[in-house]
PDB file of all heavy atoms in Angstrom:
ATOM      1  N   TRP C 362     -71.515  83.680 -81.610  1.00  0.00           N
ATOM      2  CA  TRP C 362     -72.006  82.444 -80.977  1.00  0.00           C
ATOM      3  C   TRP C 362     -73.434  82.187 -81.368  1.00  0.00           C
ATOM      4  O   TRP C 362     -73.826  81.079 -81.720  1.00  0.00           O
ATOM      5  CB  TRP C 362     -71.872  82.572 -79.468  1.00  0.00           C
ATOM      6  CG  TRP C 362     -72.515  81.453 -78.712  1.00  0.00           C
ATOM      7  CD1 TRP C 362     -73.752  81.467 -78.119  1.00  0.00           C
ATOM      8  CD2 TRP C 362     -71.984  80.158 -78.511  1.00  0.00           C
ATOM      9  NE1 TRP C 362     -74.022  80.256 -77.542  1.00  0.00           N
ATOM     10  CE2 TRP C 362     -72.943  79.429 -77.765  1.00  0.00           C
ATOM     11  CE3 TRP C 362     -70.781  79.528 -78.857  1.00  0.00           C
ATOM     12  CZ2 TRP C 362     -72.746  78.107 -77.376  1.00  0.00           C
ATOM     13  CZ3 TRP C 362     -70.592  78.227 -78.460  1.00  0.00           C
ATOM     14  CH2 TRP C 362     -71.564  77.522 -77.729  1.00  0.00           C
ATOM     15  N   ARG C 363     -74.228  83.241 -81.376  1.00  0.00           N
ATOM     16  CA  ARG C 363     -75.653  83.055 -81.643  1.00  0.00           C
ATOM     17  C   ARG C 363     -75.900  82.613 -83.083  1.00  0.00           C
ATOM     18  O   ARG C 363     -76.807  81.860 -83.365  1.00  0.00           O
ATOM     19  CB  ARG C 363     -76.395  84.364 -81.357  1.00  0.00           C
ATOM     20  CG  ARG C 363     -76.937  84.422 -79.928  1.00  0.00           C
ATOM     21  CD  ARG C 363     -77.615  85.745 -79.635  1.00  0.00           C
ATOM     22  NE  ARG C 363     -76.635  86.807 -79.392  1.00  0.00           N
ATOM     23  CZ  ARG C 363     -76.472  87.855 -80.189  1.00  0.00           C
ATOM     24  NH1 ARG C 363     -77.206  87.970 -81.275  1.00  0.00           N
ATOM     25  NH2 ARG C 363     -75.573  88.768 -79.901  1.00  0.00           N
ATOM     26  N   PHE C 364     -75.062  83.064 -83.962  1.00  0.00           N
ATOM     27  CA  PHE C 364     -75.324  82.760 -85.386  1.00  0.00           C
ATOM     28  C   PHE C 364     -74.736  81.419 -85.788  1.00  0.00           C
ATOM     29  O   PHE C 364     -75.302  80.716 -86.609  1.00  0.00           O
ATOM     30  CB  PHE C 364     -74.745  83.869 -86.261  1.00  0.00           C
ATOM     31  CG  PHE C 364     -75.297  85.223 -85.928  1.00  0.00           C
ATOM     32  CD1 PHE C 364     -74.598  86.110 -85.126  1.00  0.00           C
ATOM     33  CD2 PHE C 364     -76.551  85.591 -86.407  1.00  0.00           C
ATOM     34  CE1 PHE C 364     -75.099  87.353 -84.829  1.00  0.00           C
ATOM     35  CE2 PHE C 364     -77.058  86.837 -86.101  1.00  0.00           C
ATOM     36  CZ  PHE C 364     -76.341  87.719 -85.313  1.00  0.00           C
ATOM     37  N   MET C 365     -73.572  81.084 -85.255  1.00  0.00           N
ATOM     38  CA  MET C 365     -72.939  79.831 -85.686  1.00  0.00           C
ATOM     39  C   MET C 365     -72.327  79.115 -84.489  1.00  0.00           C
ATOM     40  O   MET C 365     -71.106  79.013 -84.377  1.00  0.00           O
ATOM     41  CB  MET C 365     -71.874  80.115 -86.762  1.00  0.00           C
ATOM     42  CG  MET C 365     -71.044  81.350 -86.479  1.00  0.00           C
ATOM     43  SD  MET C 365     -69.791  81.605 -87.738  1.00  0.00           S
ATOM     44  CE  MET C 365     -70.700  82.437 -88.992  1.00  0.00           C
ATOM     45  N   PRO C 366     -73.173  78.622 -83.600  1.00  0.00           N
ATOM     46  CA  PRO C 366     -72.654  78.003 -82.374  1.00  0.00           C
ATOM     47  C   PRO C 366     -71.708  76.845 -82.666  1.00  0.00           C
ATOM     48  O   PRO C 366     -70.668  76.701 -82.026  1.00  0.00           O
ATOM     49  CB  PRO C 366     -73.931  77.498 -81.686  1.00  0.00           C
ATOM     50  CG  PRO C 366     -74.932  77.391 -82.774  1.00  0.00           C
ATOM     51  CD  PRO C 366     -74.616  78.495 -83.733  1.00  0.00           C
ATOM     52  N   TYR C 367     -72.023  76.061 -83.687  1.00  0.00           N
ATOM     53  CA  TYR C 367     -71.232  74.849 -83.944  1.00  0.00           C
ATOM     54  C   TYR C 367     -69.812  75.232 -84.345  1.00  0.00           C
ATOM     55  O   TYR C 367     -68.829  74.834 -83.732  1.00  0.00           O
ATOM     56  CB  TYR C 367     -71.919  74.048 -85.045  1.00  0.00           C
ATOM     57  CG  TYR C 367     -71.336  72.680 -85.215  1.00  0.00           C
ATOM     58  CD1 TYR C 367     -71.607  71.694 -84.261  1.00  0.00           C
ATOM     59  CD2 TYR C 367     -70.502  72.385 -86.272  1.00  0.00           C
ATOM     60  CE1 TYR C 367     -71.052  70.431 -84.408  1.00  0.00           C
ATOM     61  CE2 TYR C 367     -69.957  71.141 -86.414  1.00  0.00           C
ATOM     62  CZ  TYR C 367     -70.233  70.163 -85.477  1.00  0.00           C
ATOM     63  OH  TYR C 367     -69.667  68.919 -85.612  1.00  0.00           O
ATOM     64  N   THR C 368     -69.737  76.089 -85.352  1.00  0.00           N
ATOM     65  CA  THR C 368     -68.422  76.567 -85.781  1.00  0.00           C
ATOM     66  C   THR C 368     -67.696  77.209 -84.608  1.00  0.00           C
ATOM     67  O   THR C 368     -66.503  76.979 -84.388  1.00  0.00           O
ATOM     68  CB  THR C 368     -68.596  77.603 -86.897  1.00  0.00           C
ATOM     69  OG1 THR C 368     -69.571  77.129 -87.804  1.00  0.00           O
ATOM     70  CG2 THR C 368     -67.298  77.857 -87.606  1.00  0.00           C
ATOM     71  N   ALA C 369     -68.463  77.972 -83.842  1.00  0.00           N
ATOM     72  CA  ALA C 369     -67.851  78.668 -82.710  1.00  0.00           C
ATOM     73  C   ALA C 369     -67.183  77.672 -81.778  1.00  0.00           C
ATOM     74  O   ALA C 369     -66.021  77.841 -81.392  1.00  0.00           O
ATOM     75  CB  ALA C 369     -68.919  79.458 -81.979  1.00  0.00           C
ATOM     76  N   THR C 370     -67.890  76.615 -81.463  1.00  0.00           N
ATOM     77  CA  THR C 370     -67.312  75.610 -80.562  1.00  0.00           C
ATOM     78  C   THR C 370     -65.988  75.116 -81.117  1.00  0.00           C
ATOM     79  O   THR C 370     -64.960  75.125 -80.424  1.00  0.00           O
ATOM     80  CB  THR C 370     -68.275  74.402 -80.442  1.00  0.00           C
ATOM     81  OG1 THR C 370     -69.598  74.879 -80.578  1.00  0.00           O
ATOM     82  CG2 THR C 370     -68.064  73.676 -79.152  1.00  0.00           C
ATOM     83  N   LEU C 371     -66.033  74.701 -82.357  1.00  0.00           N
ATOM     84  CA  LEU C 371     -64.797  74.189 -82.974  1.00  0.00           C
ATOM     85  C   LEU C 371     -63.691  75.214 -82.826  1.00  0.00           C
ATOM     86  O   LEU C 371     -62.596  74.925 -82.334  1.00  0.00           O
ATOM     87  CB  LEU C 371     -65.053  73.897 -84.452  1.00  0.00           C
ATOM     88  CG  LEU C 371     -66.011  72.747 -84.738  1.00  0.00           C
ATOM     89  CD1 LEU C 371     -66.302  72.671 -86.229  1.00  0.00           C
ATOM     90  CD2 LEU C 371     -65.406  71.451 -84.250  1.00  0.00           C
ATOM     91  N   ALA C 372     -63.995  76.447 -83.223  1.00  0.00           N
ATOM     92  CA  ALA C 372     -62.970  77.493 -83.214  1.00  0.00           C
ATOM     93  C   ALA C 372     -62.438  77.675 -81.808  1.00  0.00           C
ATOM     94  O   ALA C 372     -61.231  77.804 -81.590  1.00  0.00           O
ATOM     95  CB  ALA C 372     -63.561  78.794 -83.747  1.00  0.00           C
ATOM     96  N   MET C 373     -63.364  77.642 -80.830  1.00  0.00           N
ATOM     97  CA  MET C 373     -62.914  77.898 -79.460  1.00  0.00           C
ATOM     98  C   MET C 373     -61.994  76.805 -78.977  1.00  0.00           C
ATOM     99  O   MET C 373     -60.957  77.069 -78.360  1.00  0.00           O
ATOM    100  CB  MET C 373     -64.127  78.040 -78.549  1.00  0.00           C
ATOM    101  CG  MET C 373     -64.833  79.373 -78.736  1.00  0.00           C
ATOM    102  SD  MET C 373     -66.083  79.649 -77.493  1.00  0.00           S
ATOM    103  CE  MET C 373     -67.470  78.879 -78.252  1.00  0.00           C
ATOM    104  N   VAL C 374     -62.327  75.557 -79.304  1.00  0.00           N
ATOM    105  CA  VAL C 374     -61.445  74.456 -78.897  1.00  0.00           C
ATOM    106  C   VAL C 374     -60.061  74.672 -79.495  1.00  0.00           C
ATOM    107  O   VAL C 374     -59.030  74.643 -78.803  1.00  0.00           O
ATOM    108  CB  VAL C 374     -62.023  73.103 -79.368  1.00  0.00           C
ATOM    109  CG1 VAL C 374     -61.060  71.982 -79.014  1.00  0.00           C
ATOM    110  CG2 VAL C 374     -63.380  72.875 -78.750  1.00  0.00           C
ATOM    111  N   ALA C 375     -60.046  74.965 -80.789  1.00  0.00           N
ATOM    112  CA  ALA C 375     -58.751  75.161 -81.456  1.00  0.00           C
ATOM    113  C   ALA C 375     -58.003  76.309 -80.791  1.00  0.00           C
ATOM    114  O   ALA C 375     -56.810  76.198 -80.473  1.00  0.00           O
ATOM    115  CB  ALA C 375     -58.992  75.458 -82.928  1.00  0.00           C
ATOM    116  N   ALA C 376     -58.718  77.395 -80.513  1.00  0.00           N
ATOM    117  CA  ALA C 376     -58.069  78.556 -79.906  1.00  0.00           C
ATOM    118  C   ALA C 376     -57.521  78.187 -78.544  1.00  0.00           C
ATOM    119  O   ALA C 376     -56.407  78.564 -78.159  1.00  0.00           O
ATOM    120  CB  ALA C 376     -59.067  79.698 -79.789  1.00  0.00           C
ATOM    121  N   ALA C 377     -58.279  77.396 -77.820  1.00  0.00           N
ATOM    122  CA  ALA C 377     -57.820  76.955 -76.503  1.00  0.00           C
ATOM    123  C   ALA C 377     -56.536  76.153 -76.649  1.00  0.00           C
ATOM    124  O   ALA C 377     -55.583  76.321 -75.878  1.00  0.00           O
ATOM    125  CB  ALA C 377     -58.903  76.115 -75.853  1.00  0.00           C
ATOM    126  N   ALA C 378     -56.481  75.315 -77.681  1.00  0.00           N
ATOM    127  CA  ALA C 378     -55.255  74.548 -77.931  1.00  0.00           C
ATOM    128  C   ALA C 378     -54.112  75.512 -78.173  1.00  0.00           C
ATOM    129  O   ALA C 378     -53.005  75.358 -77.644  1.00  0.00           O
ATOM    130  CB  ALA C 378     -55.457  73.640 -79.140  1.00  0.00           C
ATOM    131  N   MET C 379     -54.378  76.558 -78.964  1.00  0.00           N
ATOM    132  CA  MET C 379     -53.345  77.547 -79.245  1.00  0.00           C
ATOM    133  C   MET C 379     -52.876  78.204 -77.955  1.00  0.00           C
ATOM    134  O   MET C 379     -51.698  78.437 -77.735  1.00  0.00           O
ATOM    135  CB  MET C 379     -53.894  78.587 -80.217  1.00  0.00           C
ATOM    136  CG  MET C 379     -52.997  79.784 -80.449  1.00  0.00           C
ATOM    137  SD  MET C 379     -53.462  80.662 -81.939  1.00  0.00           S
ATOM    138  CE  MET C 379     -54.903  81.543 -81.362  1.00  0.00           C
ATOM    139  N   ALA C 380     -53.833  78.435 -77.052  1.00  0.00           N
ATOM    140  CA  ALA C 380     -53.481  79.070 -75.772  1.00  0.00           C
ATOM    141  C   ALA C 380     -52.753  78.099 -74.861  1.00  0.00           C
ATOM    142  O   ALA C 380     -52.050  78.518 -73.947  1.00  0.00           O
ATOM    143  CB  ALA C 380     -54.746  79.572 -75.101  1.00  0.00           C
ATOM    144  N   GLY C 381     -52.924  76.813 -75.126  1.00  0.00           N
ATOM    145  CA  GLY C 381     -52.248  75.838 -74.285  1.00  0.00           C
ATOM    146  C   GLY C 381     -53.047  75.478 -73.067  1.00  0.00           C
ATOM    147  O   GLY C 381     -52.541  75.399 -71.948  1.00  0.00           O
ATOM    148  N   VAL C 382     -54.326  75.260 -73.292  1.00  0.00           N
ATOM    149  CA  VAL C 382     -55.220  74.870 -72.196  1.00  0.00           C
ATOM    150  C   VAL C 382     -55.165  73.349 -72.045  1.00  0.00           C
ATOM    151  O   VAL C 382     -55.090  72.634 -73.041  1.00  0.00           O
ATOM    152  CB  VAL C 382     -56.665  75.322 -72.509  1.00  0.00           C
ATOM    153  CG1 VAL C 382     -57.637  74.796 -71.465  1.00  0.00           C
ATOM    154  CG2 VAL C 382     -56.732  76.831 -72.597  1.00  0.00           C
ATOM    155  N   PRO C 383     -55.166  72.852 -70.825  1.00  0.00           N
ATOM    156  CA  PRO C 383     -55.086  71.400 -70.614  1.00  0.00           C
ATOM    157  C   PRO C 383     -56.156  70.630 -71.389  1.00  0.00           C
ATOM    158  O   PRO C 383     -57.160  71.206 -71.806  1.00  0.00           O
ATOM    159  CB  PRO C 383     -55.274  71.252 -69.107  1.00  0.00           C
ATOM    160  CG  PRO C 383     -54.830  72.545 -68.547  1.00  0.00           C
ATOM    161  CD  PRO C 383     -55.127  73.583 -69.572  1.00  0.00           C
ATOM    162  N   LEU C 384     -55.881  69.329 -71.565  1.00  0.00           N
ATOM    163  CA  LEU C 384     -56.709  68.404 -72.341  1.00  0.00           C
ATOM    164  C   LEU C 384     -56.601  68.660 -73.831  1.00  0.00           C
ATOM    165  O   LEU C 384     -57.256  68.015 -74.634  1.00  0.00           O
ATOM    166  CB  LEU C 384     -58.183  68.486 -71.927  1.00  0.00           C
ATOM    167  CG  LEU C 384     -58.491  68.062 -70.488  1.00  0.00           C
ATOM    168  CD1 LEU C 384     -59.990  68.138 -70.226  1.00  0.00           C
ATOM    169  CD2 LEU C 384     -57.966  66.660 -70.246  1.00  0.00           C
ATOM    170  N   LEU C 385     -55.741  69.606 -74.205  1.00  0.00           N
ATOM    171  CA  LEU C 385     -55.548  69.857 -75.638  1.00  0.00           C
ATOM    172  C   LEU C 385     -54.055  69.735 -75.962  1.00  0.00           C
ATOM    173  O   LEU C 385     -53.204  69.935 -75.091  1.00  0.00           O
ATOM    174  CB  LEU C 385     -56.059  71.247 -76.004  1.00  0.00           C
ATOM    175  CG  LEU C 385     -57.574  71.365 -75.882  1.00  0.00           C
ATOM    176  CD1 LEU C 385     -57.996  72.807 -75.869  1.00  0.00           C
ATOM    177  CD2 LEU C 385     -58.235  70.609 -77.016  1.00  0.00           C
ATOM    178  N   ASN C 386     -53.797  69.434 -77.238  1.00  0.00           N
ATOM    179  CA  ASN C 386     -52.405  69.101 -77.594  1.00  0.00           C
ATOM    180  C   ASN C 386     -51.458  70.260 -77.319  1.00  0.00           C
ATOM    181  O   ASN C 386     -50.338  70.076 -76.868  1.00  0.00           O
ATOM    182  CB  ASN C 386     -52.325  68.679 -79.063  1.00  0.00           C
ATOM    183  CG  ASN C 386     -52.901  69.746 -79.973  1.00  0.00           C
ATOM    184  OD1 ASN C 386     -53.371  70.782 -79.502  1.00  0.00           O
ATOM    185  ND2 ASN C 386     -52.872  69.488 -81.257  1.00  0.00           N
ATOM    186  N   GLY C 387     -51.958  71.488 -77.539  1.00  0.00           N
ATOM    187  CA  GLY C 387     -51.090  72.644 -77.317  1.00  0.00           C
ATOM    188  C   GLY C 387     -50.522  72.664 -75.906  1.00  0.00           C
ATOM    189  O   GLY C 387     -49.370  73.042 -75.690  1.00  0.00           O
ATOM    190  N   PHE C 388     -51.319  72.214 -74.978  1.00  0.00           N
ATOM    191  CA  PHE C 388     -50.903  72.207 -73.575  1.00  0.00           C
ATOM    192  C   PHE C 388     -49.662  71.347 -73.383  1.00  0.00           C
ATOM    193  O   PHE C 388     -48.655  71.786 -72.804  1.00  0.00           O
ATOM    194  CB  PHE C 388     -52.051  71.694 -72.713  1.00  0.00           C
ATOM    195  CG  PHE C 388     -51.674  71.482 -71.280  1.00  0.00           C
ATOM    196  CD1 PHE C 388     -51.465  72.573 -70.450  1.00  0.00           C
ATOM    197  CD2 PHE C 388     -51.523  70.204 -70.765  1.00  0.00           C
ATOM    198  CE1 PHE C 388     -51.107  72.375 -69.123  1.00  0.00           C
ATOM    199  CE2 PHE C 388     -51.161  70.009 -69.444  1.00  0.00           C
ATOM    200  CZ  PHE C 388     -50.955  71.100 -68.621  1.00  0.00           C
ATOM    201  N   LEU C 389     -49.708  70.138 -73.949  1.00  0.00           N
ATOM    202  CA  LEU C 389     -48.615  69.190 -73.712  1.00  0.00           C
ATOM    203  C   LEU C 389     -47.294  69.753 -74.213  1.00  0.00           C
ATOM    204  O   LEU C 389     -46.308  69.847 -73.475  1.00  0.00           O
ATOM    205  CB  LEU C 389     -48.939  67.883 -74.433  1.00  0.00           C
ATOM    206  CG  LEU C 389     -50.228  67.210 -73.982  1.00  0.00           C
ATOM    207  CD1 LEU C 389     -50.507  66.009 -74.854  1.00  0.00           C
ATOM    208  CD2 LEU C 389     -50.096  66.805 -72.527  1.00  0.00           C
TER     209      LEU C 389
END
Side-chain angles (χ1 to χ4, degrees):
Chain C
W362 172 261
R363 267 177 283 114
F364 302 99
M365 41 178 83
Y367 190 74
T368 316
T370 329
L371 293 173
M373 285 189 272
V374 177
M379 172 162 77
V382 174
L384 296 182
L385 292 164
N386 55 359
F388 173 72
L389 300 175

